[in-house]
Amino acid sequence: MKGQQDLDVTAMIFDHVGDSYWWHLTDVGQTSVAMPLPVLVYSEHTGWHAFSSARFHHGHEAYEGLAIAPEESPNAGKIIEVATGERPAFDCSVTKNVAGLFLASVLLCLMILGTARWYKRRDVTAAAPKGFIGSMEMMVNFVYEDIIKANIPEHTARYTPYLLTVFFFIFLTNLLGLIPGSANLTGNIAVTVTLALFTFVITNVFGTKAYWQEVFWNPELPAWLRPLMAVIEFISLFTKPFSLTIRLFANILAGHCALIGVLSVIFITATTMPGAGNGMMSVVSVLLAVFLDCLELLVAFIQAFVFTMLSSIYIGLSQAHHHRD
């Protein structure tokens, strides 16, 4: 067990929520167990480099003129060129979050394709499915009927694949993020920005002519109010994806930070409050951590639900007839 002087709570939190060129699994005594990941960078001076991150020995050594920037550097934790101290022109390395994204995508495909395969082989006279297939059917029906169809009554089939994929992807990655040592995908703002941009593009590319007329020159408003509303509506085009990005990112990140912080109290009190006081604080910390973990399970579903709900509302509003209704 680490003593208080060896425990850096901030480092523990950022190790979990941050990205890395290694996938840290656990600590055995004083030894850190981590899986090295592929490094692929291009330098304008030395060309392409492809090797394992194990060559860096967890950031303590340089390899092929490349190194991990120290913590005091503006590029802390990133690969830099030793000669210039600058970032390479391209860094296409498979980091922890990228590897986690690959894993989540594979699991999602297996879940969806496995469920579809079961229904293709299903006997129509058979009883209702149970277990995993039954849970998937319940979730799909819930998202389709109560979220997608309720907000996009017209052209529902066009947007259903995207919205179902978004829901299950966010829900799955939220759950995976609760596993110790896993990647924190939805707590990474780059992932949430990408998801929000998908909704932004779909909403505005497939928006009808009447939708754009309502944005820039709404015929239902008085003439003197139209210029002001046009400015407000134009700004709202960008605040909608911004709200999707920040809501998902901030809730997941805050939950993980709070959970790790509460768990660290156990190790801090191990040296500062020996005896009965230590035991009492440890019990309180464990109970609070269990409560937060259960709360995170609920948040994992709520955030997937909210993101999908808001995306379907934004897409539904871009269909002019539904907006007028």
Side-chain angles (χ1 to χ4, degrees), residues 196-321:
L197 284 177
F198 281 136
T199 297
F200 174 77
V201 171
I202 291 173
T203 300
N204 294 289
V205 169
F206 295 102
T208 63
K209 181 179 179 181
Y211 162 71
W212 287 107
Q213 183 182 17
E214 291 180 355
V215 169
F216 291 109
W217 201 254
N218 194 331
E220 299 178 0
L221 296 175
W224 63 271
L225 188 59
R226 293 176 189 175
L228 176 61
M229 290 306 300
V231 174
I232 295 175
E233 289 288 348
F234 179 76
I235 294 175
S236 73
L237 296 178
F238 303 96
T239 57
K240 290 173 182 177
F242 179 78
S243 68
L244 290 176
T245 298
I246 299 302
R247 181 181 289 105
L248 179 58
F249 162 72
N251 279 279
I252 300 302
L253 181 65
H256 288 192
C257 292
L259 182 58
I260 297 173
V262 168
L263 288 174
S264 66
V265 174
I266 300 172
F267 302 99
I268 294 175
T269 56
T271 54
T272 59
M273 299 179 62
N278 172 35
M280 180 60 67
M281 285 301 298
S282 296
V283 171
V284 172
S285 299
V286 170
L287 292 177
L288 185 56
V290 171
F291 170 76
L292 288 177
D293 219 7
C294 295
L295 185 62
E296 282 287 280
L297 290 174
L298 179 62
V299 170
F301 171 79
I302 290 177
Q303 290 306 314
F305 169 80
V306 170
F307 192 99
T308 309
M309 171 69 77
L310 291 177
S311 294
S312 64
I313 290 174
Y314 298 156
I315 294 173
L317 290 175
S318 69
Q319 310 303 304
H321 297 295

Side-chain angles (χ1 to χ4, degrees), residues 28-48:
V28 179
Q30 298 298 321
T31 304
S32 178
V33 179
M35 180 177 65
L37 298 170
V39 172
L40 180 63
V41 298
Y42 174 76
S43 168
E44 294 180 349
H45 305 94
T46 57
W48 285 100

Side-chain angles (χ1 to χ4, degrees), residues 134-150:
S135 300
M136 288 293 292
E137 179 181 338
M138 177 191 67
M139 297 288 282
V140 170
N141 285 335
F142 164 72
V143 175
Y144 179 76
E145 295 291 342
D146 295 344
I147 300 179
I148 303 175
K149 195 172 181 179

